[in-house]
Amino acid sequence: MTAVDVVVMAAGKGTRMKSRIPKVLHKLGGRPLIQHVIATAQALDARRTIVITGHGADGVEDFLRQSATAGGRAVPDFVRQEPQLGTGHAVQQVVPVLPDDGIALILNGDVPLVRPATLQALIDRCAGERLALLTVQMADPTGYGRIVRSGDAVQAIVEHKDASESQRRIGEVYTGFMAVPSARLKNWLSRLTNDNAQGEYYLTDIVQLAVQDGCEVVASPAVEQVEVDGVNSPVQLAELERAFQLRQARALMEQGVRLADPARFDLRGSLQCGQDVEIDVNCVFEGEVSLGDNVRIGPNCVIANARIAAGAVLQAFTHIEGEKLGVEVGEGALIGPFSRLRPGAKLGPEVHIGNFVEVKNSTLARGAKANHLAYLGDAQVGERVNYGAGSITANYDGANKSRTVIEADVHVGSNCVLVAPVTVRAGGTIGAGSVINKDTEPGKLTVARARQATIAGWTRPKKQAK
Ligand code: UD1
Ligand code: CA
């Protein structure tokens, strides 16, 4: 087996994006375009990955360096192409770092949806000796390089701007992907000229050189158009986003996940699902999310970096953002509608969190409930606690965060402020409207508010005559 070295072209400007962000860093499914390409290359067990950068090179290289390091993967090699004198000139920059004994697999940093199997087929067609081109039939091939054949044999790729009228009628086009023996590639690259309509060094001119040298050129057709579609504009980015989301939605449905509408589903990361999971419309999943058996997600939920245990129900408009600490929702918990779970919210089994309740960096034990309009931050909440509407933990004194402990079976009335650090002992009850800043006694009622009084002889003020 010949080793495969991946070359990713990512120096181009992407003028039509009309953005300051380098094109290959625009996101699809929550990840930059180029990361999709690199991930696909990794699935092929490539020996090395070389990325050609130019426009926005620092940003692109920094991103790839950081994401590889964070993911425990090898950082790709970078070569710079400055100025950009065409695709052939781009690949010429790779020559010093490309080993001679492998197959060079040339990919486009802005074509995110190509599948590993398609590239593997291209590598297999190359087999270390042929020039293998990935091609596709297009109804409107305007702008693309045409595959010119004589009989069956590929003779050349002719760029649209250089093509004759009859060549422009050819529907078979070059997709920008090829697999080529590296030693031969280097030889052909050294012979490129820029004698063409755009005055550029075309990588595609190596096809004629291969034919001249008696090297077999094969065209390997792509199965699906969307695999070879590039991103040049926000419109194309949005189109590929939908194609990508549909691909992910299908894969989940094939595993048995029931999506109310695959066209209204967005996954920007990874989603693990157990059996009999149901997801209603317009939900967005980000980062790493797992859903246990029988989990039901209502419409319009946003869920990032969370583990939802079996049988939990998230009702409409629930917002969960686990960030680095993560969020855990226990078995059979009932969350929402309109609940907000923030980093470090760890909810045990059968916990209920209702509308307009925010939980941050807090653990709630089995059966605890906070059903309406409340805040729990930096708190430890025991089993079966009932936390009243409008109550909050005052966990921040303007400088430091402190913890609140609410032991098992406590009832906190409505509109209470628990001023941390403070402990409410087991089985205690806190009267509505209390401000609690000292630890309370177990099993007792604690009230900390002014007594109600009726003022005798009081009359409402009257408007003075002027
Ligand atoms: C290229 C092909 C064309 C093919 C089409 C498929 C050539 C000459 N033509 O055309 O046959 O049908 O792709 O999309 O190769 N790039 C650089 N440095 C440069 C120029 C481009 O790194 O100097 C990168 C771009 O960032 C991009 C890729 O190469 O990732 C392709 O460049 P692009 O300008 O899109 O090529 P096309 O002219 O569209
Ligand atoms: Ca292009």
Side-chain angles (χ1 to χ4, degrees):
M1 282 292 287
T2 315
V4 175
D5 299 305
V6 170
V7 175
V8 182
M9 309 223 284
K13 187 162 186 198
T15 313
R16 280 189 283 154
M17 288 302 292
K18 299 185 179 164
S19 168
R20 265 195 281 269
I21 301 166
K23 179 162 77 173
V24 295
L25 292 186
H26 282 277
K27 286 182 179 170
L28 180 108
R31 291 192 301 167
L33 294 171
I34 194 159
Q35 212 181 350
H36 289 267
V37 178
I38 301 266
T40 306
Q42 262 142 10
L44 296 167
D45 282 329
R47 173 169 61 183
R48 61 163 69 180
T49 303
I50 306 161
V51 181
I52 306 165
T53 59
H55 278 283
D58 289 335
V60 174
E61 292 174 12
D62 284 350
F63 167 76
L64 289 175
R65 216 174 272 121
Q66 279 166 23
S67 71
T69 311
R73 296 181 306 268
V75 176
D77 294 314
F78 299 111
V79 296
R80 293 218 179 171
Q81 184 204 15
E82 276 156 357
Q84 283 88 44
L85 304 178
T87 53
H89 177 252
V91 180
Q92 281 170 348
Q93 313 310 307
V94 169
V95 168
V97 294
L98 182 68
D100 283 335
D101 63 345
I103 293 172
L105 176 68
I106 299 180
L107 309 181
N108 254 305
D110 60 1
V111 182
L113 297 189
V114 68
R115 290 172 194 266
T118 302
L119 296 178
Q120 190 57 54
L122 196 63
I123 293 163
D124 294 345
R125 293 301 299 278
C126 166
E129 50 193 63
R130 288 182 286 268
L131 169 53
L133 308 170
L134 188 68
T135 65
V136 71
Q137 282 289 339
M138 279 191 183
D140 178 12
T142 307
Y144 288 87
R146 307 302 204 281
I147 304 294
V148 177
R149 291 172 185 261
S150 151
D152 247 7
V154 176
Q155 294 296 305
I157 297 174
V158 178
E159 292 305 307
H160 183 87
K161 286 187 177 145
D162 300 285
S164 65
E165 273 307 303
S166 65
Q167 286 170 333
R168 285 186 180 182
R169 282 194 290 272
I170 298 171
E172 187 185 12
V173 305
Y174 173 55
T175 59
F177 293 87
M178 63 168 73
V180 47
S182 297
R184 304 207 79 161
L185 171 68
K186 290 183 178 182
N187 174 284
W188 297 326
L189 288 171
S190 71
R191 290 151 65 190
L192 292 179
T193 65
N194 63 353
D195 181 15
N196 53 51
Q198 301 183 80
E200 287 183 2
Y201 295 90
Y202 291 164
L203 177 62
T204 44
D205 282 350
I206 72 168
V207 174
Q208 291 164 67
L209 297 169
V211 172
Q212 277 171 32
D213 288 0
C215 174
E216 197 184 343
V217 182
V218 292
S220 189
V223 187
E224 216 190 343
Q225 166 78 44
V226 75
E227 275 199 83
V228 296
D229 280 341
V231 172
N232 295 302
S233 66
V235 169
Q236 288 171 340
L237 181 60
E239 284 168 0
L240 285 195
E241 176 74 30
R242 282 337 303 163
F244 177 69
Q245 292 301 345
L246 205 53
R247 200 189 249 189
Q248 297 190 120
R250 288 238 167 85
L252 286 164
M253 290 188 293
E254 274 157 23
Q255 290 163 33
V257 177
R258 295 194 289 279
L259 299 180
D261 183 358
R264 285 178 290 169
F265 167 80
D266 287 84
L267 168 55
R268 303 170 189 155
S270 73
L271 179 61
Q272 304 289 325
C273 290
Q275 205 168 25
D276 286 306
V277 165
E278 289 182 10
I279 300 173
D280 212 327
V281 298
N282 292 330
C283 291
V284 179
F285 296 86
E286 294 178 336
E288 289 186 19
V289 176
S290 69
L291 307 178
D293 293 347
N294 301 306
V295 163
R296 282 192 291 132
I297 312 282
N300 301 300
C301 292
V302 177
I303 303 172
N305 299 304
R307 294 215 317 258
I308 315 298
V313 176
L314 309 191
Q315 305 199 85
F317 297 97
T318 292
H319 188 279
I320 298 182
E321 171 50 279
E323 289 175 22
K324 288 204 176 76
L325 288 174
V327 164
E328 288 170 21
V329 174
E331 276 189 34
L334 180 59
I335 314 297
F338 300 99
S339 300
R340 180 167 185 221
L341 304 181
R342 293 177 49 211
K346 305 271 151 86
L347 313 186
E350 312 293 334
V351 162
H352 290 189
I353 299 294
N355 45 212
F356 308 107
V357 174
E358 174 182 347
V359 182
K360 186 218 74 170
N361 195 30
S362 295
T363 57
L364 277 73
R366 178 185 287 274
K369 294 186 173 71
N371 276 328
H372 333 264
L373 303 156
Y375 176 58
L376 282 162
D378 303 308
Q380 182 187 320
V381 179
E383 295 190 1
R384 296 172 300 276
V385 163
N386 197 317
Y387 193 73
S391 290
I392 65 151
T393 54
N395 57 323
Y396 185 53
D397 62 10
N400 300 297
K401 300 257 170 80
S402 302
R403 293 195 67 81
T404 301
V405 178
I406 306 172
E407 293 181 350
D409 299 301
V410 162
H411 282 206
V412 176
S414 294
N415 241 26
C416 293
V417 179
L418 307 180
V419 183
V422 72
T423 296
V424 181
R425 296 268 178 236
T429 298
I430 307 297
S434 294
V435 176
I436 301 296
N437 57 6
K438 290 194 285 288
D439 293 0
T440 64
E441 284 183 43
K444 299 277 171 58
L445 169 66
T446 304
V447 184
R449 62 170 190 242
R451 256 179 205 285
Q452 182 168 326
T454 303
I455 312 298
W458 180 85
T459 55
R460 280 192 195 162
K462 297 217 169 59
K463 213 167 187 130
Q464 306 271 319
K466 287 215 176 99

